[in-house]
Amino acid sequence: MEDVKRETIYEDAESFDEKDNNMISIINKSNLSLSIINSSGISNSNTHNNTNITNNTIVDNNEKEQKKIDIESFRKKEQLTEDISHLLRLHNPIEYITSNLKIIKSKSSSTKRALSSLIEIQNFQCDVATIWVIKLSYNGKYLATGGKSGVLKIWEILTMKDSIDAYERKNILKYMNYCNEDAYRIYTEHSKDIIDIAWSKKNDTYLVTVSLDHYAVLYDITQKDAIAKYNHDSIISCVDFYPNVLNFVFNLDYDIFVTGAFDRIIRIWNVKNKEEPIMYVNVAEYITTLSFFPNGQFLSVGSSEGKISVYDCEKQLRYSYSFNCRNKKGKYSNGRKITDISFKSDKDNIAIISTNDSRIRIVDINDGTVIYKMKGHVNEEGMIKADINDSLVISCSEDNYIYVWSNDDKEIKNYCYEYFKPFDKDKGKVTCSIFSNREMIKEFNMKYEMITKDFHIRNIIINASTMGYLQ
């Protein structure tokens, strides 16, 4: 199929039409094209002057030599422009983009669509086994993946500069990519599945993984080896870094993180002390997920019985209050496992809670009031996590679809959603889905504007599968 596709692109190159020529014109007039040309050492004014070189007698030999160099440089510049145009004829970006459109289905009475169109820009196998978790660093520069193989891989997100380098190497399809397909770091510290990852909010290069092998591992991705391993008495289910907005809470000047395990113990660790936790907290139920409030004042802990417990960080994690995430009636009225707790933004305490009753609840975490529920996806057995940005909520599903809801309170309805199938059968079932951050969306819009003005990217969705594919 790939060969047929390439043959089609090459055949289309022979019938290159006026629309494509306009696209080339846009690119040649863009800043990207100018930066490539200028990298050869010729400014725009030099270019204009060089086109008007006359046959006047040049007395000085140095001037004659300089004239030859300028003419040769100008010819190289012209050749580079022709090469780029030829490259785009062979690898038509517009055709490439539109050929990767995904089918979006909708169950909504509203004419307003959360997703106007959906285009696959990258899909590659990043691991040999199931990916259970993907996490972006807070600065948006790195993506971490972990799963059944126990291998942690760090991927560099391609910046505008990286894309221009790919463009100069005449790799227009790589220019479209979101991340580098060669891992920046590969760590093999775990002997079993990695089931959660947390990035530090204080230090952009620090992260922790937790695994079924009873270890939490701390890394600094500027180093090739892990910093430390923290042993636990049972399987570790979750991890989170303290947001470091209230450092006086723990009287520490360095990063701390918290882990939750199946022995029903919350452990507080610091990155300096590699031997013992600085604090233990025993809880009544199995811990399935945990997350600090954005303001750092409280720690929320989810259980296997559908209960959220909140602990006060200013009082050495003393129990504060709790509430249940349960249906009032039906087969799940006794409560189901909390699979994730995340927060809408760093400015408020609105939490997004995923549970094994196939519900996503938007909750005021201060008192447990459910503002609204989102339904449609299937989350009954796994550890599916929803993600949220300023306009949308997204979640993968056990039926191999990804579901998207509007985050507008006026538009929200229980069964008002759009959904799409991210992976073909040969690439496995979807296991996790997250949004990219806003800074990278801006970068991508800048990149695409170099090629066409017909697209404006509002969101970037990152998915992983049971066959180790990253999309």
Side-chain angles (χ1 to χ4, degrees), residues 119-176:
I119 300 161
E120 182 186 274
I121 58 173
Q122 191 174 9
N123 192 334
F124 69 100
Q125 191 168 20
C126 68
D127 206 325
V128 296
T130 300
I131 300 296
W132 293 128
V133 57
I134 52 177
K135 287 285 183 73
L136 275 169
S137 62
Y138 285 93
N139 61 10
K141 294 181 179 180
Y142 300 99
L143 178 69
T145 61
K148 193 172 183 62
S149 67
V151 177
L152 171 69
K153 294 185 180 181
I154 308 297
W155 309 88
E156 285 185 292
I157 307 305
L158 293 174
T159 64
M160 191 64 177
K161 180 182 181 302
D162 297 324
S163 297
I164 290 173
D165 290 343
Y167 196 105
E168 289 179 328
R169 291 194 299 271
K170 305 179 184 180
N171 190 342
I172 190 64
L173 299 189
K174 188 174 181 180
Y175 174 80
M176 305 281 199

Side-chain angles (χ1 to χ4, degrees), residues 4 7 17 71 74-75 91 112-113 156 185 203 206 222 239 245 260 280 369 378 421 453-454:
V4 172
E7 287 175 8
D17 60 17
I71 292 173
F74 178 69
R75 286 174 179 167
H91 299 292
K112 184 178 178 181
R113 298 294 297 271
E156 285 185 292
R185 288 281 186 263
N203 189 326
Y206 273 44
T222 63
V239 62
V245 291
Y280 293 88
T369 302
V378 182
K421 193 172 186 178
K453 303 296 183 182
D454 295 335

Side-chain angles (χ1 to χ4, degrees), residues 57-68 70:
T57 303
I58 300 175
V59 178
D60 193 289
N61 289 333
N62 290 334
E63 290 182 2
K64 287 182 180 180
E65 190 63 30
Q66 184 63 44
K67 178 181 175 181
K68 290 179 182 179
D70 288 346

